[in-house]
Amino acid sequence: MPQLLEVTEYDVIILGTGFIESILAGALARIGKSVLHLDANNFYGGNWSSLNFKELLEWTRSIQGVDGAYSTIEYEFYPIHEQVEDIPAMLLKESKRYNLDLAPKMVPCRGELIELLISSGVGRYLEFKAMDKTYIYSADTFDKVPCSKEDVFTNQSISLIEKRKLMRFLTFALDYTNSPDTYKDYEEKSFTTLLIEKFKIDGKLLLAVLYTIALIRTDANDVNTIQGLEKTQSYLKSLGRYGNAAFLVGLYGCGNEIAQGFCRVCAVYGGIYMLDHSVKHLLIDENSNKFTGLVDVNDQQISSTFLVSSIDYLPPRFLKEDEHWETTSRAIVIIDKFIHEESGDASLTVYPPETVKNKYPVTVLQFSAGTQTCPEDRYTVSDTKPNPLFALFYRHKKRVVSSSEIPENIIIASDPDSSLDFEEATIQARQYFEKMCPGEEFLPAGPDPDDEDEFIV
Amino acid sequence: MSAPGNRHNSQAPGKLFQFKLVLLGESAVGKSSLVLRFVKDQFDDYRESTIGAAFLTQTIALDENTTVKFEIWDTAGQERYKSLAPMYYRNANCAVVVYDITQPSSLEKAKSWVNELKRQADPNIVIALAGNKSDLSERRVIDTETAQNYAADAGLLFFETSAKKSTNVNELFTSIARKMPLDQLAANSRARGNNLNQRGVDLNHPVAQNACSC
């Protein structure tokens, strides 16, 4: 017997439990809006989710041939080594110990998301570890990248002269707005030009600054001086808050856990949750072009003033042609050893453009059992080197909607972007909230659970 | 989360152990009422559902050297349409599975939650079964023995409770505290050391960079 909803009128219906939808769910319920939050999947996180191994295979099959956010999906088991004859059976057996991110990201130690996690209290639900090692690949070798001042001094792969150049640049970049004379002639030029001409940084060191410190994800020639300095500065500001790391990674997967945390805030403030619950169609009034409600899988008609929706739930006519979409090639690879010695629980490795026949930088996030994303002696990476046991390749599209046709009371949450963090997505959630509820506070802290008297038996 | 914390050591002498405790059970069996009675010694007949409590904490002094602090997570209604987030079970050290002695289906539901916990949660989780609303004895449909036998077979602590009359509520939480493997945890924590990478990062407690700032 289908479970029918007792209440069919809400302030807001939210479709999809992805990162942006979930922040909005928490923020809206927090200020007293009635929220119904549905997801057609039987798991949280939507296109931002983390799946165990079995779920990942099921997900792969479910999206194959579907006209959605993913394309060119292929996976392979590698039947080599370790006296293990049946790799698929082995991985399936330990399935639950994997939490594999569909769109792996990190949390900068200073920035929009971390401040929101702290101020809202959602951070108390989550666990993080420091991502404190970065490597860069060139000419068949991996070099550890010096990030902090301490690193610069102790790093043995760069010369003393280069250390001085790098220190001079990092000191300037941390506070660049106070030395406008240094960069004013370069504002219109590329960031690369500034580094080469003004700071005499070139070769490997140049690649390291561009792709592992400024974390440029495209062709560096397209990034101007101001953009490059902004990126460098935000990286440098993230250092030193939680030890010698600029980023944190979430335990048990990142986007999905954070989304669940905000969903919990929503539920705690009265939001109703239904997973595995799909929608038949949206009700849009033709005359006013306003969203009025929807019909769910049980033919129940549910109405609301606003709809917040992941793109997955929108009729295709709202989407722009796919040539406008940003596409990221991703791979999830399970390997049997660390890529680098002393990698720790999580590491970042960057292949600059043209180093492995790549046009754009390839970024590898490696997680080991310490991040609770995989069992011991297994490592998950979003690319490869040692013996792979399994690899899944896919293209992840950030779809674009044509805003003119969409009813103004439908708020659309973006797909994950190609960046390595959640900053743009967090900003988007906040802006949508401000648009829907002008003047209201965005996710103020709840009551402190520690404000209780001691109880003694 | 299961490690002895020292953040709140100022409150009590000796060792402080902090545990995550999750509540499970059918809607309206009195999960929140049990917590409210335990934490605030209050009861509200017309309380409909938990609103506004992310989690509550309560401390029990087991003896003069040992204090147990429970971080108690309520389902926040997410169990109603079978949509409880995996995060809820994550790192739970103990659970109270609640049924209503006046509702026959609620014990069956409790059994399925116990199975779910055994599937999803840490294998060492301490589970207590609570038959709530023991004050409504004239409407009782689940006899004590049935539930007690089930609890014994499944290896659960068992109490019949009344959040309303404050019967067996403190006893329930105290016996969970006593069943937690405190000695073992103390030993583990000594072996852990203070390495940031091993402990994880506490967002509210920045760790200064261990570098000279020259």
Side-chain angles (χ1 to χ4, degrees), chain A residues 348-361:
Chain A
L348 174 71
T349 304
V350 178
Y351 297 75
E354 311 299 341
T355 51
V356 282
K357 296 180 186 162
N358 51 324
K359 185 175 174 197
Y360 298 117

Side-chain angles (χ1 to χ4, degrees), chain A residues 137-318:
Chain A
Y137 175 85
S138 64
D140 272 340
T141 57
F142 294 99
D143 289 307
K144 206 171 153 206
V145 177
C147 308
S148 62
K149 288 180 181 179
E150 183 200 28
D151 270 2
V152 174
F153 285 116
T154 56
N155 192 291
Q156 294 174 353
S157 63
I158 52 174
S159 71
L160 201 60
I161 295 170
E162 285 184 313
K163 283 184 185 183
R164 286 208 195 101
K165 289 177 186 171
L166 184 59
M167 278 304 291
R168 194 177 145 238
F169 170 68
L170 296 180
T171 307
F172 154 74
L174 184 59
D175 200 18
Y176 73 92
T177 47
N178 280 337
S179 337
D181 289 349
T182 311
Y183 65 91
K184 71 168 193 265
D185 297 338
Y186 293 89
E187 284 188 33
E188 306 294 311
K189 296 177 183 167
S190 77
F191 182 47
T192 313
T193 310
L194 173 87
L195 291 168
I196 295 172
E197 292 184 5
K198 196 80 193 178
F199 291 91
K200 312 291 178 214
I201 291 174
D202 56 13
K204 269 191 184 179
L205 193 59
L206 177 67
L207 295 177
V209 172
L210 292 173
Y211 298 108
T212 66
I213 292 177
L215 283 169
I216 292 168
R217 306 275 289 145
T218 55
D219 186 339
N221 293 318
D222 298 337
V223 174
N224 71 33
T225 291
I226 298 299
Q227 291 166 325
L229 288 174
E230 277 172 3
K231 283 166 176 282
T232 308
Q233 188 188 47
S234 62
Y235 180 91
L236 294 172
K237 281 187 169 170
S238 280
L239 289 168
R241 186 181 198 176
Y242 301 111
N244 198 11
F247 298 101
L248 303 179
V249 294
L251 265 55
Y252 309 100
C254 210
N256 191 10
E257 289 291 295
I258 297 172
Q260 285 178 41
F262 286 103
C263 289
R264 183 162 163 82
V265 172
C266 177
V268 159
Y269 285 90
I272 307 284
Y273 275 81
M274 289 177 106
L275 295 186
D276 205 3
H277 198 90
S278 52
V279 171
K280 279 191 173 162
H281 55 267
L282 306 183
L283 302 171
I284 292 165
D285 183 83
E286 278 183 24
N287 297 321
S288 62
N289 194 35
K290 278 199 126 186
F291 167 83
T292 57
L294 55 79
V295 176
D296 77 357
V297 64
N298 300 328
D299 287 317
Q300 223 181 344
Q301 189 169 324
I302 311 161
S303 63
S304 69
T305 317
F306 278 106
L307 175 74
V308 173
S309 180
S310 144
I311 296 177
D312 287 341
Y313 299 82
L314 294 178
R317 66 186 163 94
F318 286 157

Side-chain angles (χ1 to χ4, degrees), chain A residues 3-7 44 96 99 114 117-118 123-133 148-150 153 167 239-244 248 251-252 256-258 260-261 263-264 267-276 344-345 370 446-457, chain B residues 1 7-8 11-12 18 37-40 50-62 67 69 71-78 80-88 90-91 119-120 170 174 178 196-214:
Chain A
Q3 271 185 302
L4 296 179
L5 281 160
E6 289 152 34
V7 179
Y44 279 86
K96 281 195 174 170
N99 289 290
I114 201 137
L117 291 174
I118 294 169
R124 297 191 67 146
Y125 298 141
L126 306 167
E127 290 177 86
F128 292 97
K129 284 206 170 173
M131 162 82 84
D132 54 3
K133 293 193 178 63
S148 62
K149 288 180 181 179
E150 183 200 28
F153 285 116
M167 278 304 291
L239 289 168
R241 186 181 198 176
Y242 301 111
N244 198 11
L248 303 179
L251 265 55
Y252 309 100
N256 191 10
E257 289 291 295
I258 297 172
Q260 285 178 41
C263 289
R264 183 162 163 82
V268 159
Y269 285 90
I272 307 284
Y273 275 81
M274 289 177 106
L275 295 186
D276 205 3
D345 290 321
D448 184 350
D450 283 328
D451 278 352
E452 299 300 334
D453 300 326
E454 196 171 346
F455 171 88
I456 304 200
V457 289
Chain B
M1 213 155 280
R7 266 196 270 162
H8 306 281
Q11 287 181 8
Q18 187 167 326
R37 174 60 78 192
F38 174 53
V39 174
K40 297 190 173 167
T50 341
I51 294 204
F55 48 79
L56 294 169
T57 62
Q58 182 58 287
T59 309
I60 296 178
L62 284 182
T67 307
K69 181 176 179 180
E71 184 181 290
I72 304 169
W73 291 46
D74 205 331
T75 56
Q78 281 178 307
R80 181 135 53 124
Y81 300 104
K82 301 188 189 79
S83 301
L84 210 51
M87 164 188 282
Y88 189 72
R90 199 94 76 203
N91 293 327
R119 222 176 20 245
Q120 301 261 16
N170 293 345
T174 306
R178 293 199 187 283
L196 183 72
N197 275 333
Q198 284 168 30
R199 270 192 329 178
V201 175
D202 183 346
L203 299 189
N204 291 303
H205 293 77
V207 181
Q209 201 174 344
N210 50 356
C212 59
S213 52
C214 40

Side-chain angles (χ1 to χ4, degrees), chain B residues 43-186:
Chain B
F43 183 81
D44 180 354
D45 255 323
Y46 301 100
R47 190 176 172 80
E48 282 188 16
S49 63
T50 341
I51 294 204
F55 48 79
L56 294 169
T57 62
Q58 182 58 287
T59 309
I60 296 178
L62 284 182
D63 58 48
E64 54 188 29
N65 289 318
T66 314
T67 307
V68 167
K69 181 176 179 180
F70 286 120
E71 184 181 290
I72 304 169
W73 291 46
D74 205 331
T75 56
Q78 281 178 307
E79 84 287 8
R80 181 135 53 124
Y81 300 104
K82 301 188 189 79
S83 301
L84 210 51
M87 164 188 282
Y88 189 72
Y89 303 104
R90 199 94 76 203
N91 293 327
N93 308 102
C94 37
V96 176
V97 180
V98 187
Y99 69 95
D100 173 349
I101 64 157
T102 72
Q103 296 295 328
S105 67
S106 70
L107 181 61
E108 289 314 305
K109 203 67 213 262
K111 290 178 183 174
S112 70
W113 282 117
V114 170
N115 291 337
E116 186 74 3
L117 278 169
K118 292 191 167 168
R119 222 176 20 245
Q120 301 261 16
D122 185 300
N124 298 318
I125 190 167
V126 171
I127 305 174
L129 180 69
N132 196 34
K133 307 196 186 177
S134 65
D135 52 292
L136 301 176
S137 55
E138 73 284 3
R139 282 163 50 194
R140 174 192 286 275
V141 292
I142 298 172
D143 55 63
T144 309
E145 207 184 349
T146 310
Q148 197 156 28
N149 289 343
Y150 161 69
D153 287 347
L156 318 176
L157 294 166
F158 174 68
F159 287 90
E160 282 192 348
T161 57
S162 167
K164 187 173 184 175
K165 301 278 185 221
S166 195
T167 311
N168 269 346
V169 178
N170 293 345
E171 289 78 356
L172 168 72
F173 287 94
T174 306
S175 73
I176 295 171
R178 293 199 187 283
K179 206 180 172 192
M180 300 309 295
L182 303 183
D183 297 339
Q184 198 182 322
L185 289 167

